[in-house]
Amino acid sequence: MLSREEYLIFGVSINNKYGEDAAEFAYAGLLALQHRGQEGAGIAVLSGNSIVCHKNQGLVSEVFSGEALKCLKSRSAVGNCMYSTHINNTDIVNNVNDITEDVQPVFTEYLTGRIATVHSGNVINAKELKAELMTYGIAFMGTSDSEVISKLIAYHSTKEKSVVNGVKVAAELLKGAFSLVVLSTENNKLIAVRDSSGFRPLCMGKNERGIAVASESCALDTNGFGFVRDIKPGEIVVAEDGKITYEEVVLTPKIKNAGVCIFEYVYLARPDSFIDSLGVYDAKVNLGKILAEENPAEADIVCAVPESGIEAAIGYSQESGLPLITGLIRNRYVGRSFIYPTQTQRENIVKVKFNAMKSNIAGKRIVLVDDSIVRGTSMKIIVGMMKNAGAKEVHLRISSPPVKYTCHFGVDTKSEDVIANKMKLDEICKEIGADSLGYISLDGLKKACGKCSLPLCVRCFENNGEM
Ligand code: AMP
């Protein structure tokens, strides 16, 4: 079975004084959030007592390249893009990896209504919940957590005779990282929920037309919705016809040592987003400054690994006084390399993705800054590229501590594949081919993200053994 992790969601509810262009807002929202997932996209809208949905594999612009948006006229919409993890290699090899069924939104009909659900995160008890629902005769079409969540909500909405109460009961049963948005035919409700630890971001914005919720605030900005606030951990917010009608923290905390996934600031989120009171740009620049304080280097220039290392490299340059120079060009049309299932595929894609700027780096001693090392695949190739282009020395500086452990809520690469789990610092440095290697400390990272209003989840760096 494939396990899916979905990374971005957008929902909008427009007042009935205004036009039926919710799907267009959702489209723009998904485009702004495309960096969080590139494998599939979908938008569902309310249409009277029905829900109409268009979804497929591919990028947002590919899935909605034709007339699809024109068929989605409504004042309420939800959308999602998919990024999947834990794909079983044999599924790819046998070419049975048809993921269309797992692309969100998931549509579910129940006795008194219909819902479309989108979610971001990873629910760790989805398998058990699915097995329980199947004992009631509920059938499943795909393998995604989202389908389990949607059917769980539908089941409890029937029992509770209310979709909001159904969402409350269902969300209380879910264990893991989830932010979700449910579109319901019951009074045109748009229901947003964030898990009780707040692992995945979810924020709310408004303008004169209505309310929008999004995984990151950049999707509100680009859509003309003013940022209102982050949705609190364990909170349910309901909007009807463009107005908030209910907002309350109702879910009980279940997971120890939990909080916002630190990888949001380190890698996942866009620098122009604000998550739980902390600007992602500021967090990344602070990480770079503290990295420079903790790990100085005798060098001529600072270079970033684009794009996720750019802001930390700015911070490193500011703190060290070394000039920041472009040392690598990233091909913008190549997506994430780490999600490919085989090591050969991952290596090949990194080679296509980056090229060294020979004219800028030849003969120079370089501080090369990146956000993290997980398997070490990218870094080994990149350092090799820089040396081949004539770099005299490459001093690698990483703006997160060594990633050592798999995390079921975030960085889910198997612990045995993670380079810092297998090797000591000097061994990693040798394996990668760098002249020196330095990571920011965990205390340094916490200091850099000190303005975050929620606790941070750092279990990929320190195994506290607790779930
Ligand atoms: P790697 O080549 O495995 O060291 O990974 C390259 C980059 O991809 C890392 O620096 C991370 O920013 C990102 N990355 C790798 N694995 C994951 C994961 N499981 N979740 C999120 N980001 C990841």
Side-chain angles (χ1 to χ4, degrees), residues 7 83 85 263 266-268 308 336-338 346 350 370-379 410-413:
Y7 263 141
Y83 144 66
T85 57
F263 249 63
V266 166
Y267 171 68
L268 288 170
S308 47
R336 287 179 164 137
S337 51
F338 73 88
R346 284 191 290 269
V350 176
D370 200 6
D371 67 288
S372 60
I373 302 178
V374 180
R375 290 185 178 91
T377 315
S378 317
M379 208 37 83
V411 180
D412 54 357
T413 306

Side-chain angles (χ1 to χ4, degrees), residues 185-449:
T185 53
E186 192 184 300
N187 292 340
N188 299 342
K189 285 186 171 71
L190 185 86
I191 306 163
V193 189
R194 189 171 179 193
D195 76 67
S196 51
S197 306
F199 282 110
R200 292 288 152 233
L202 188 62
C203 60
M204 176 161 77
K206 75 170 182 188
N207 62 17
E208 71 291 349
R209 303 173 117 228
I211 300 290
V213 287
S215 288
E216 286 184 37
S217 61
C218 64
L220 302 176
D221 300 339
T222 53
N223 248 322
F225 287 89
F227 177 83
V228 175
R229 65 177 177 85
D230 293 289
I231 293 185
K232 296 174 199 144
E235 188 178 22
I236 296 186
V237 175
V238 181
E240 284 170 51
D241 294 324
K243 290 209 167 52
I244 300 292
T245 53
Y246 174 84
E247 45 194 326
E248 199 180 351
V249 175
V250 290
L251 304 180
T252 48
K254 293 186 190 71
I255 298 163
K256 289 183 189 153
N257 297 322
V260 191
C261 171
I262 188 63
F263 249 63
E264 290 291 343
Y265 297 107
V266 166
Y267 171 68
L268 288 170
R270 246 171 70 160
D272 52 339
S273 287
F274 278 77
I275 298 175
D276 297 307
S277 315
L278 174 60
V280 177
Y281 180 89
D282 291 343
K284 284 175 171 247
V285 172
N286 287 343
L287 287 166
K289 286 183 180 172
I290 295 173
L291 178 65
E293 264 170 42
E294 293 182 348
N295 294 280
E298 285 285 317
D300 305 310
I301 57 171
V302 177
C303 296
V305 177
E307 291 172 7
S308 47
I310 290 175
E311 293 75 24
I314 293 172
Y316 197 103
S317 164
Q318 286 175 357
E319 184 61 32
S320 64
L322 296 172
L324 179 65
I325 310 278
T326 302
L328 278 167
I329 298 296
R330 181 196 192 286
N331 183 329
R332 293 206 169 92
Y333 304 96
V334 178
R336 287 179 164 137
S337 51
F338 73 88
I339 61 170
Y340 286 82
T342 70
Q343 184 62 13
T344 314
Q345 282 173 308
R346 284 191 290 269
E347 285 171 10
N348 288 343
I349 204 80
V350 176
K351 287 177 196 156
V352 175
K353 193 163 148 184
F354 296 104
N355 194 19
M357 282 288 297
K358 208 170 179 174
S359 52
N360 284 353
I361 63 172
K364 301 264 174 35
R365 296 173 303 165
I366 296 159
V367 173
L368 181 64
V369 180
D370 200 6
D371 67 288
S372 60
I373 302 178
V374 180
R375 290 185 178 91
T377 315
S378 317
M379 208 37 83
K380 191 175 173 176
I381 296 169
I382 290 169
V383 171
M385 263 178 205
M386 300 204 83
K387 291 259 170 133
N388 283 341
K392 198 166 154 200
E393 291 169 16
V394 178
H395 300 278
L396 191 53
R397 297 294 179 264
I398 304 296
S399 62
S400 64
V403 171
K404 284 192 179 158
Y405 308 101
T406 191
C407 170
H408 300 294
F409 313 111
V411 180
D412 54 357
T413 306
K414 284 190 207 136
S415 294
E416 58 265 34
D417 291 338
V418 171
I419 195 165
N421 193 290
K422 300 185 284 195
M423 294 182 192
K424 298 197 184 78
L425 188 89
D426 54 336
E427 292 168 332
I428 301 173
C429 184
K430 200 168 160 215
E431 171 67 19
I432 283 173
D435 294 280
S436 73
L437 169 63
Y439 291 89
I440 195 172
S441 67
L442 189 53
D443 283 345
L445 169 128
K446 288 180 179 167
K447 195 170 147 201
C449 298

Side-chain angles (χ1 to χ4, degrees), residues 135-201:
T135 64
Y136 308 145
I138 295 171
F140 285 81
M141 306 287 287
T143 61
S144 70
D145 290 358
S146 322
E147 191 182 0
V148 178
I149 295 172
S150 194
K151 289 189 170 156
L152 191 70
I153 292 171
Y155 176 75
H156 287 288
S157 298
T158 312
K159 272 182 86 174
E160 298 288 324
K161 298 188 177 65
S162 140
V163 70
V164 175
N165 289 343
V167 168
K168 275 187 200 172
V169 176
E172 191 60 48
L173 293 171
L174 300 174
K175 191 171 178 194
F178 60 90
S179 285
L180 63 111
V181 187
V182 182
L183 188 64
S184 161
T185 53
E186 192 184 300
N187 292 340
N188 299 342
K189 285 186 171 71
L190 185 86
I191 306 163
V193 189
R194 189 171 179 193
D195 76 67
S196 51
S197 306
F199 282 110
R200 292 288 152 233

